[in-house]
Amino acid sequence: VTVWLVGAGPGDPGLITAKGLDLIRTCEALVYDVLAADELVAEAPDDALLIPRAKLKQAEINAILVELGEQGLEVVRLKGGDPFVFGRGSEEIEALRAAGIACEVVPGVSSISAVPGSAGIPITHRGVSAQVTVVSGHSADGGDLDYDHLARTPGTLVVFMGVAHLNRITSQLIAAGMAPTRPAAVVARGTTVHEERVDATLDSIAQDAADLRSPALLIVGEVVAVGAAQRPGSSAITA
Ligand SMILES: C[S@@+](CC[C@H](N)C(=O)[O-])C[C@H]1O[C@@H](n2cnc3c(N)ncnc32)[C@H](O)[C@@H]1O
């Protein structure tokens, strides 16, 4: 293998896998995303080539990975969370395979459950939610989410990349029939020392969480209240 797609985990540098960390420590080139923790980038050998993703387009990243692979270097492509969860890791693998370069995926801890979990929200809870729907809110301004379907789907809804469109997403869900009083939370920079959590209902979360910035997840469903009841200081905790 020459190119490894490694999941960096959700933010806390301690949440990378042991295998991923070993690969960073021995790589010859490290191509990394903005969401990857600085502490992980610092683990690369002093003489390793460091390439931040920064503002590069996906096609440019693919080309860089192919070029480094063709040079026979041991390359780590470090991606936030898990490379195959809204990470375009599969596009990079396709490009590498098309160029005949050996590559492998090292899965990571995705923010899907790690970010709500770190903030005290279980995405499933027996008797409350046995189903999780995960969507990208990235293009929500383009209206490409199936809101009628989402409003009818029971269980927990987790929205990635939706923080810029919270107002649009929540009002569309309500317009499609989801209860405005459903518990909702936004967790920003989850698992890091900067983690912030705002709890509200579906009809007020956009306003209440307006100050939170990406990366953030919107979590909608009764599990939000379950988590709240388990938190220290909550009035729902009984002695
Ligand atoms: C391009 S996606 C990458 C997801 C990543 N591959 C994963 O498995 O977590 C980026 C989005 O993931 C979510 N995200 C990633 N890390 C997060 C964190 N520490 N706290 C909150 N949301 C996070 C946000 O919705 C962010 O906009």
Side-chain angles (χ1 to χ4, degrees):
V1 171
T2 56
V3 180
W4 299 85
L5 254 70
V6 175
D12 175 349
L15 291 176
I16 191 169
T17 61
K19 182 171 182 178
L21 186 55
D22 277 351
L23 286 163
I24 293 176
R25 286 179 173 157
T26 53
C27 75
E28 293 171 294
L30 180 68
V31 184
Y32 59 97
D33 277 353
V34 278
L35 280 183
D38 295 343
E39 291 89 337
L40 294 178
V41 176
E43 291 285 342
D46 288 343
D47 57 353
L49 188 61
L50 297 185
I51 304 177
R53 154 96 201 235
K55 290 190 165 44
L56 295 175
K57 294 200 168 68
Q58 188 61 49
E60 293 171 318
I61 281 282
N62 294 354
I64 288 171
L65 293 177
V66 167
E67 198 182 312
L68 294 171
E70 279 170 346
Q71 289 173 28
L73 295 178
E74 283 291 314
V75 183
V76 167
R77 168 70 175 111
L78 187 63
K79 301 178 69 75
D82 181 274
F84 279 5
V85 177
F86 296 129
R88 304 185 73 170
S90 41
E91 294 174 37
E92 295 174 11
I93 289 285
E94 274 180 347
L96 288 161
R97 294 215 170 118
I101 290 160
C103 50
E104 210 170 296
V105 177
V106 180
V109 175
S110 174
S111 57
I112 280 187
S113 58
V115 163
S118 166
I121 302 171
I123 56 170
T124 65
H125 189 80
R126 195 155 54 96
V128 175
S129 171
Q131 184 171 328
V132 183
T133 306
V134 181
V135 300
S136 162
H138 181 60
S139 312
D141 54 340
D144 59 356
L145 288 177
D146 184 347
Y147 289 99
D148 288 334
H149 178 76
L150 293 176
R152 276 187 280 109
T153 305
T156 309
L157 172 64
V158 179
V159 183
F160 276 64
M161 296 174 275
V163 80
H165 309 302
L166 273 186
N167 209 4
R168 162 92 55 155
I169 293 168
T170 53
S171 10
Q172 297 269 25
L173 286 171
I174 293 168
M178 196 180 269
T181 51
R182 275 197 101 191
V186 171
V187 181
R189 296 193 279 178
T191 78
T192 74
V193 292
H194 305 293
E195 178 175 295
E196 285 181 89
R197 168 178 174 174
V198 171
D199 283 56
T201 47
L202 188 61
D203 59 355
S204 61
I205 189 73
Q207 192 178 342
D208 291 359
D211 290 340
L212 298 197
R213 295 285 164 262
S214 183
L217 287 185
L218 166 67
I219 302 121
V220 181
E222 288 61 36
V223 289
V224 170
V226 172
Q230 290 169 342
R231 280 194 296 164
S234 162
S235 56
I237 292 181
T238 48

